[in-house]
Each structure stands twice: as structure tokens, then as C-alpha cells.
Amino acid sequence: MALSRRLRLRLCARLPDFFLLLLFRGCLIEAVNLKSSNRNPVVHEFESVELSCIITDSQTNEPRIEWKKIQDGQTTYVYFGNKIQGDLVGRTDVFGKTSLRIWNVTRSDSAIYRCEVVALNDRKKIDEITIELIVQVKPVTPVCRVPRTVPVGKMATLQCQESEGYPRPHYSWYRNDVPLPTDSRANPRFHNSSFLVNSETGTLVFSAVHKDDSGQYYCIASNDAGASRCEGQDMEVYDLNIAGIIGGVLVVLIVLALITMAICCAYRRGCFINNKQDEESYKSPGKHDGVNYIRTNEEGDFRHKSSFVI
């Protein structure tokens, strides 16, 4: 015959501590309780992971187990009715009655998972525990942009970008396989250079390039899941030929001046003006046929060229 709750508590209160530990479950615990060996598992993409959910106390032999996935504000079933649900079908199983094992995890598996247990024979019939799964993704090959040629003393910006890695990667630049510091002033080896590397954005900025800055550059994007690099690209720093530039400008100006003078001389000589004939023979539309007139130098003065033909 089962003892009443009050009687059990009286008995437990009179027992030594050792016996209390042995009878703790029967005297005081009438609720289902859960725990997890890892509430924040972190795993690399395409590896496997275990979501631990362990029943520590329960009076129910066959509790009901449910797993749910919470992502982007939406809740979906992962395990319900003793079956795996959703996109985890075929790569997830249940072990230890209540825990989950996921194979070949992907970045879309990053979410909060909630383990819920319903124990009908316990006074506290429901308990739940949440587990946040983080899937780290190795960066893909970054896109690098390196100017091919830059004149001495000019500013140059090199860019490196990658958008797939998680967590967000950090960037580092190399010249001729030698790693560049974030600030050239911090390393005596680069005292002839003046550049800054932003490891968060992937930019390498030269405030004024020098001849020694010529070389092959590449970038590496890295995070906890791995690293990737772009192909090396050459940047050439060249000297400006100031004398040659000035000479070229002077030649152009001289040629333009000669062309202008030639055009002016041609206008003065009348090469571009059509000479009018001193006299122009025409047939007056207001006169009878057979009479021809010519125009004299004085406007409006006409005279006969031939007599009437009768």
C-alpha cells in the first residue's frame, strides 16, 4: 500500500543524511527534470554533433519526448510522434531515449533547439531545456583587387572580400609570401612603406607608394573553421618622367600654335572665301523673252546687253 505524501515526509525527516540520499528520489522528488552536458555546442560544417537532453528525475517510465527548432522567429518540429521531422530526416537519430545526433551539419542547422519532456506520472509533468547550436563555416576563396600599376607617391588601395564564412573572417595580406603587419610603422622591416591593413574589412591602403612596394600580393581570409586565399596579383610601382611629360605638353602646344597660324594665313589670303564674279549674267523673270540684262557694279543699275529681237 502506498504511503501518503505527509507520512513519507515525516519518515524522511527522521532518517540520517545517508538514508535521506538513498530515499531522496522517493521522498521528495515527484517532478521531471532535465539537464544537458553541453548547452552551447559549436561544430564545423559537414561534421556531426550531439544535442544532449538527459532526464535526471522522473516517476514516469515512458515519457513523451519532443524536439523543436527555433530559427528566424519560427518554430518547427524536429522530433515528434517518435519520428524525425523536416530537413533533418535521413541524417538525424535519437540516442539515450531523449538526445539527438545530427550528421553532416550545414549552416542552415544553426538554431536554438528545444527538448521537451512530458511525464504524466509526475506532479510536475513537463520540463524543457534549450540548446543553441552554432555551425562554423570555412571561408571560400576571397575576391582580391590589386592595381596593376601605381606611380610613385600616389595612394593605392587593395581590397579583399569574402561573404560565406561564419563567423566573419579576419583578413591578412602578404607581399612576396611575407606577411604584412597591420601598420607598416610597427615593423622596422617596412620602414620604407606607409600602409595600414584593416583585418575586419580586408583593405590594404598605401598612403604613398614607394618603389619597394612593388611585388606580388595576395590575401588570406580565416576564421575558426579554416582559411582560404586568393591568387597572387602583381602591383608595379613606377617613376613619373616629369621631364618627358613637360616636353610632350610643349610639343602639343607648339603643334596647336602652328595649326592656328596656318589657318589664319589661309583666311587672310582668301582661301576659304568664294570670289564673286564682277558681273553676273542672268535672265530677269519680270522681262519678256529675248531681252538680256547685265548688272553693273552699282546696285540697282541695269542696262541692255542686246537690243530687242523683233
Side-chain angles (χ1 to χ4, degrees):
M1 180 176 179
L3 296 176
S4 65
R5 177 179 175 82
R6 182 178 296 178
L7 180 57
R8 279 186 291 165
L9 291 175
R10 286 181 179 178
L11 291 174
C12 289
R14 295 179 181 179
L15 291 174
D17 292 343
F18 175 76
F19 292 101
L20 282 177
L21 292 175
L22 294 178
L23 299 176
F24 182 76
R25 181 184 181 89
C27 294
L28 300 178
I29 300 301
E30 292 182 352
V32 59
N33 289 295
L34 303 176
K35 74 173 185 178
S36 176
S37 61
N38 188 358
R39 298 284 296 271
N40 301 99
V42 178
V43 64
H44 294 172
E45 192 173 29
F46 308 124
E47 294 182 349
S48 62
V49 64
E50 294 181 356
L51 306 183
S52 170
C53 179
I54 303 170
I55 300 176
T56 59
D57 300 293
S58 178
Q59 299 296 320
T60 304
N61 292 328
E62 296 294 334
R64 189 179 72 205
I65 312 299
E66 293 181 0
W67 278 91
K68 295 177 182 177
K69 179 181 179 180
I70 304 170
Q71 186 180 57
D72 298 329
Q74 296 183 346
T75 302
T76 56
Y77 278 106
V78 172
Y79 182 75
F80 179 76
N82 297 326
K83 293 182 179 179
I84 300 296
Q85 309 287 331
D87 59 354
L88 293 179
V89 174
R91 57 190 184 96
T92 304
D93 67 354
V94 178
F95 71 97
K97 292 186 177 181
T98 52
S99 298
L100 290 182
R101 183 184 294 109
I102 305 174
W103 288 284
N104 195 29
V105 296
T106 65
R107 64 196 70 190
S108 63
D109 295 329
S110 292
I112 294 176
Y113 293 83
R114 187 168 65 212
C115 173
E116 300 177 359
V117 175
V118 179
L120 298 178
N121 295 337
D122 293 77
R123 287 183 178 272
K124 178 191 171 187
K125 302 181 183 300
I126 301 175
D127 195 17
E128 64 182 36
I129 190 171
T130 57
I131 299 173
E132 184 178 5
L133 172 62
I134 297 177
V135 179
Q136 296 181 336
V137 181
K138 177 184 175 181
V140 297
T141 302
V143 177
C144 296
R145 297 180 177 89
V146 179
R148 293 186 177 182
T149 57
V150 184
V152 170
K154 296 295 182 179
M155 187 180 75
T157 300
L158 287 67
Q159 296 178 332
C160 180
Q161 293 180 335
E162 194 278 338
S163 58
E164 298 293 330
Y166 183 85
R168 292 183 59 182
H170 286 78
Y171 301 94
S172 55
W173 278 94
Y174 291 74
R175 180 177 69 201
N176 299 329
D177 295 325
V178 176
L180 300 180
T182 55
D183 190 343
S184 59
R185 296 172 298 181
N187 192 326
R189 182 175 184 178
F190 302 95
H191 67 277
N192 289 330
S193 297
S194 57
F195 62 79
L196 292 173
V197 176
N198 190 323
S199 61
E200 300 294 330
T201 62
T203 56
L204 167 59
V205 179
F206 291 87
S207 58
V209 295
H210 298 269
K211 289 289 289 183
D212 293 339
D213 295 326
S214 295
Q216 186 181 77
Y217 289 81
Y218 64 85
C219 166
I220 293 180
S222 59
N223 61 14
D224 292 338
S228 295
R229 56 161 285 182
C230 64
E231 293 295 328
Q233 301 179 38
D234 293 328
M235 183 178 77
E236 179 186 357
V237 180
Y238 63 91
D239 291 317
L240 284 174
N241 188 352
I242 304 299
I245 294 175
I246 295 175
V249 172
L250 291 177
V251 170
V252 172
L253 292 176
I254 293 173
V255 171
L256 291 176
L258 293 175
I259 293 175
T260 303
M261 292 175 62
I263 293 174
C264 291
C265 292
Y267 268 109
R268 288 177 182 177
R269 294 179 180 180
C271 295
F272 298 100
I273 301 176
N274 292 328
N275 294 327
K276 293 183 178 180
Q277 295 180 354
D278 293 335
E279 293 181 356
E280 181 180 3
S281 175
Y282 71 98
K283 185 176 182 180
S284 175
K287 301 300 180 178
H288 296 287
D289 293 339
V291 180
N292 293 331
Y293 292 85
I294 61 172
R295 188 196 305 259
T296 62
N297 291 332
E298 295 180 4
E299 185 177 355
D301 183 15
F302 296 90
R303 61 184 177 84
H304 288 292
K305 181 178 180 182
S306 61
S307 61
F308 289 96
V309 178
I310 299 175

